[in-house]
Amino acid sequence: MSLSRREVLRGLGLAALATPLAACATAGREAAPSPTASAAATSTNNPLGVDATRRLEVVIFSGGNGDKYAVDLHEAAYRKAYPKAELKHVATQKVGTQLRPRFIAGDVPDVVNNSGPEALDLQSLVQEGHLADLTPLFEAPSLAFPDKKVKDTLVGGAYENSLIDGVPRVLQYTVAHRALWYNAKLFESKGWTVPKTWAEFNTLGEEAKKAGITLFAYPGQVGPFYQLWNLVYSAAKVGGNKVIIDIDNLADGAWTAEPVRQAVAAWAQIQKDYGDKAYFGLDHTQTQIKHLQDKVLFYPCGSWLENEMAKDKPDTFEYAIAPVPSITAADALPYEAIMIGVSEAFFVAAKGKNPQGGLDYLRMMLSREGARGYTEMTKNLTIVNGLVDGLQLTSAVNSAAKAQEAAGKNTITDARFETWYKELFDHGQTQTNSVMAGRITADQFCENMQKKADELKADSSIAKQNRTV
């Protein structure tokens, strides 16, 4: 069974793998280099100064989305634009294992799709000056809308999420909706209504139990971070987006705040009353198969789910997305509020042999053909606005689009501590499994997370990030 783009093992094994790269980092920050001087002059037709004969190496994580989109769309466009340039394509399911030794040795590729179970630690790469400044890309004219800069063609939050230390360093290529997924055909056949309140959620749990269906499940082996996301975004629904901003900023008491405690306690109750601990021993693919078999009613995941399970999805299953039910009557955000964020990271290596070509490669990804083609092939929306008209979208994509429309301005911001403080995120997965299994209480979960956050905050060797929105 092939690895999924979201199959993640973030335990001690991967932490150990990350050590050699992190150990090379200096205590302070190196300024992220701009791409080195180009042999080509910039012009209207070549705004990024690409050497038309210079080799380009692209590394793609071949997970749930495969790598065919890169070969057939983005690399094909680059070859057409620069026919004299050699283009090397590398597909891997182990980004870290394959690339970490190369970054240490200084033999780096030009473009990296940093995703999957062994994604490189961006903070370590930044410390060593490996991530190119993407400002020239964002300021360049868009290939999709030539009268606009690339930055002005993207969905809200796309540029902001590219920033590390205030400098754009990573391109998050896709739009991700994270919430609860269910089978619309099953709900129709049973005459069930998607619950909007926690009381309705519990009532449906009783109905599902009578039908022999587990109300809610997440994979405890490979994928506890799905539920960690769910806990954090549910807390934001209770207390507003400031809950997530405080968590990301390592604010004092962020994890012990009442909205977090309420959200964690609510989900622990659902697991206790209507869950099945057997799923703690399954990975994400196994759990998603159970979902397709209507043995699980709701599954917390992102909008890549349908494409990831396309080969296994029966005709009796129609993916649809639902916001998390309102936990309290006084929730800061309405039921319709849903998490809409960006994902699928790409970066250009500042110390690569062709950083200008890398920047232009990303610009081609954001072209009309590159973005629309990607959506058609992978069933994932990209961050480029205004390019989906006329596309035949799947039920999941249509459902996510409708949910986004219903939410309007009531969107839950994406949490960034996964990228900013990986150690905290890894710790959160362990604590999530513990609280959902009933080994610790919601209060203990919050205290344990706050203790870890405080440790990181006090560690002067860890660069701190800050966000206001």
Side-chain angles (χ1 to χ4, degrees), residues 204-287:
L204 182 58
E206 295 293 339
E207 293 296 317
K209 187 182 295 185
K210 293 176 185 176
I213 303 172
T214 299
L215 176 66
F216 168 83
Y218 74 94
Q221 286 298 310
V222 182
F225 62 99
Y226 287 173
Q227 179 59 6
L228 176 55
W229 281 335
N230 203 29
L231 296 178
V232 171
Y233 297 135
S234 296
K237 179 162 280 191
V238 176
N241 282 322
K242 187 177 185 298
V243 171
I244 292 177
I245 293 171
D246 285 347
I247 286 174
D248 286 344
N249 289 340
L250 301 180
D252 294 341
W255 285 100
T256 54
E258 184 60 14
V260 180
R261 190 201 66 78
Q262 288 180 318
V264 175
W267 278 110
Q269 173 265 311
I270 287 294
Q271 174 64 44
K272 176 177 178 292
D273 293 343
Y274 306 110
D276 185 343
K277 290 184 179 180
Y279 289 95
F280 293 162
L282 302 184
D283 64 23
H284 70 296
T285 302
Q286 293 167 325
T287 306

